[in-house]
Every structure is written in structure tokens, then in C-alpha cells.
Amino acid sequence: MRIGELATRTGVSVRSLRYYEEQRLLTSTRSPSGQRHYTVEEVERVAFIQRLYAAGLSSSTILQLLPCVDSPSEENSDAALERMAQERDRLSAHIDDLLCTLDALDHLMAANRAHKATLRTARH
Amino acid sequence: MRIGELATRTGVSVRSLRYYEEQRLLTSTRSPSGQRHYTVEEVERVAFIQRLYAAGLSSSTILQLLPCVDSPSEENSDAALERMAQERDRLSAHIDDLLCTLDALDHLMAANRAHKATLRTARH
DNA sequence: CTAAAACCTGACATCCATGTCAGAGGCAAA
DNA sequence: TTTGCCTCTGACATGGATGTCAGGTTTTAG
């Protein structure tokens, strides 16, 4: 498929797909005229890359993890595995932090609603 | 306390504290010479602001939520409460997404380790 | 064949929290 | 008083993913 189709299938802009290639996160074969072509596998790969971006990883960090995805457990993926473990832990800690924040918001909202109910009762 | 102490107590840079004030997320009293002074309450407030930034809220969004924190359930905080509910839901969805990502990383790492164990067995 | 739509490269723009620097003033200890 | 550290304002810089535009080529549909 060409880049436009990959873009609509993944919900990622054409601009971003080219950027991923520039960052060596994604590869494409080129038609004789130079247009990029992708296989269906790339759909999943782009989705995964998006996941990692959403988890706060940078392009260069993602690049370091990819050997782990592309060629599981070959020699050169040791460092990738280690890096992945490190990012996993960071992400886990971040999630815990966000859960605390969620909790704080829930408490705040509950307090506000309670106060509002109090006002309503007092008025009648 | 002065700004430097608030900075060290919260782990937030002096630059950022001034920025928070510029965004009207934080207020200070000024000494006659113009230096900012804060009460201990501000420590908690800064920590909360940091939480919200870490949860992906922008300065203007945080500003919209603050009435909910400062003056619970006064009339003008209705919009703030609604906005907070909206952000809460967004955050909750984001956490779910991150949990999926965490899961994906765990699976990948397990697969890599399994493969590595296979290689080790074959060698002996 | 022609027009529209999609693609190419390269470059510059954007957002936004934070860093950093410059120049000036404030305050406390020696 | 002098020295050193803290603070002030204002301005410019940064990073990184993405948007956008220009000028040109390719593909597709009619």
C-alpha cells in the first residue's frame, strides 16, 4: 500500500510517517518512481510506535528498543531488552503517579458535589 | 518563604514558579522591594499543579479547574467542575491506554527471554 | 489525453514548559 | 563596608513531534 493508505489506516498523518522513516523507526520499499510502499505488517508497527510515543518515549529511545521487536533475542538485542525493561519500569511508575492524580481529581469532585448538595439542602 | 525555598521544597525550578504565576496558577505577596513571598500552603498547591502537568494538562486547562480547588462549589465553579470531570475521563482513558502499552512491553520481554532460553538450551 | 488526486523533497512554522543569560537591585554575614 | 548569594524583569533559546507550504513528478479516473 502507499503512504496515504497507511496514514488513513493508522490514523497517523503522512507527515508523521515520513518522519518515522527519517528516524529509522519504519522502512519502506520504493517503487521505481520513488514512491513508498508498505506491507500490511507496517500497520501494526505504526500502531506500536504510536503507543510508545503516547507512553512518553522519544524517537531515539524507541529506536533502541526496536531490535527487541524485529529480531527477538539475537545477540545485539541484549541492550535493547535491558533498555526495554528500564522503560517498562519508568512507565509503570508513571502510571502509578497518574492513578494518584486520578484519585485526587475524584476526591476533589466528590468534595465539590458534597458542598453543592449542602447548599441545596440549606436553601429549602 | 521566598521563591528559592519554595523551589527547593517542591523540586520545581524558580523559573517555573515565576511561569506559574504568569499563567495565574499561583499567586504571591510581594515584599516592599518586590520579592515574592509564599505561605506553606503554596507547597501543596505547586505539587498539585505539577501533578496536573504530568497528567498532560496545559496551563490554560489547569487554570480552568482551579476554581474547583480554591472555592469549592461556589456558583462560578460549575464550569470548573464540568471541565474537571472531562479531564478526569480523558486521564482515565489515557491510563487504560498506558496499561495496554505496559502489557505489550511485558509480553515482548517475555517472548525475548523465552527465545533466549531456547538458544541456551540448544547450545548445550 | 487531460484533470484531479496523490506523492516526492526540502524548508520553515508551531506549541509550550523550561533553560539560560544579562543587567540591576536586595539582604545578610564578616 | 564589602562580599556573596538571592531575587527581579525581560528576552531569547530549546526540543521534538507535527503542521504547512512550495514546486515538481506520478498515478488514477473520466
Side-chain angles (χ1 to χ4, degrees):
Chain A
M1 84 192 78
R2 290 189 299 167
I3 198 171
E5 187 177 346
L6 183 58
T8 58
R9 279 208 204 180
T10 58
V12 172
S13 73
V14 167
R15 172 69 176 89
S16 293
L17 293 177
R18 295 202 190 105
Y19 177 73
Y20 297 169
E21 180 166 330
E22 187 184 322
Q23 301 298 305
R24 286 169 302 159
L25 307 181
L26 193 61
T27 50
S28 61
T29 59
R30 297 298 186 107
S31 74
S33 65
Q35 298 204 343
R36 294 171 176 85
H37 285 266
Y38 302 93
T39 68
V40 281
E41 301 199 342
E42 315 304 326
V43 174
E44 209 177 334
R45 172 177 265 250
V46 170
F48 184 62
I49 292 173
Q50 281 279 96
R51 266 201 177 300
L52 296 184
Y53 274 131
L57 308 214
S58 69
S59 293
S60 75
T61 302
I62 297 176
L63 185 60
Q64 293 179 319
L65 306 190
L66 285 183
C68 229
V69 181
D70 294 334
S71 51
S73 279
E74 296 194 352
E75 307 310 325
N76 63 359
S77 74
D78 273 9
L81 192 56
E82 191 173 345
R83 196 82 178 75
M84 184 170 278
Q86 179 183 338
E87 288 304 320
R88 190 223 98 97
D89 291 347
R90 206 192 46 74
L91 177 57
S92 180
H94 186 224
I95 291 173
D96 287 347
D97 193 57
L98 293 186
L99 285 171
C100 283
T101 304
L102 191 64
D103 210 49
L105 290 183
D106 283 341
H107 281 27
L108 262 175
M109 289 168 59
N112 269 261
R113 286 201 257 264
H115 197 235
K116 202 166 291 191
T118 303
L119 290 185
R120 208 167 25 246
T121 304
R123 205 178 313 124
H124 297 299
Chain B
M1 85 192 78
R2 289 189 300 168
I3 198 169
E5 186 176 347
L6 184 58
T8 57
R9 279 209 204 180
T10 58
V12 172
S13 72
V14 167
R15 173 67 176 89
S16 293
L17 293 177
R18 296 203 188 103
Y19 177 74
Y20 297 169
E21 179 167 331
E22 185 185 323
Q23 301 297 305
R24 288 169 301 159
L25 307 181
L26 193 61
T27 50
S28 61
T29 59
R30 297 298 186 108
S31 74
S33 65
Q35 298 202 340
R36 295 172 177 83
H37 284 267
Y38 303 93
T39 69
V40 281
E41 303 200 341
E42 314 303 327
V43 175
E44 210 177 334
R45 172 177 264 250
V46 170
F48 184 63
I49 291 173
Q50 281 279 97
R51 266 200 177 299
L52 296 184
Y53 274 130
L57 308 214
S58 68
S59 293
S60 75
T61 302
I62 296 175
L63 184 60
Q64 293 178 320
L65 305 190
L66 284 183
C68 228
V69 181
D70 294 334
S71 51
S73 280
E74 295 194 354
E75 307 309 326
N76 65 359
S77 74
D78 273 9
L81 192 55
E82 191 174 345
R83 195 84 179 75
M84 184 171 277
Q86 178 183 338
E87 288 303 322
R88 191 223 97 99
D89 290 347
R90 205 191 48 73
L91 176 58
S92 179
H94 186 222
I95 291 174
D96 286 348
D97 194 57
L98 293 186
L99 285 170
C100 282
T101 303
L102 190 65
D103 209 52
L105 290 183
D106 283 341
H107 280 27
L108 262 175
M109 289 166 61
N112 268 263
R113 287 201 258 262
H115 196 234
K116 200 166 293 191
T118 302
L119 289 185
R120 207 165 29 245
T121 303
R123 204 177 314 119
H124 295 300

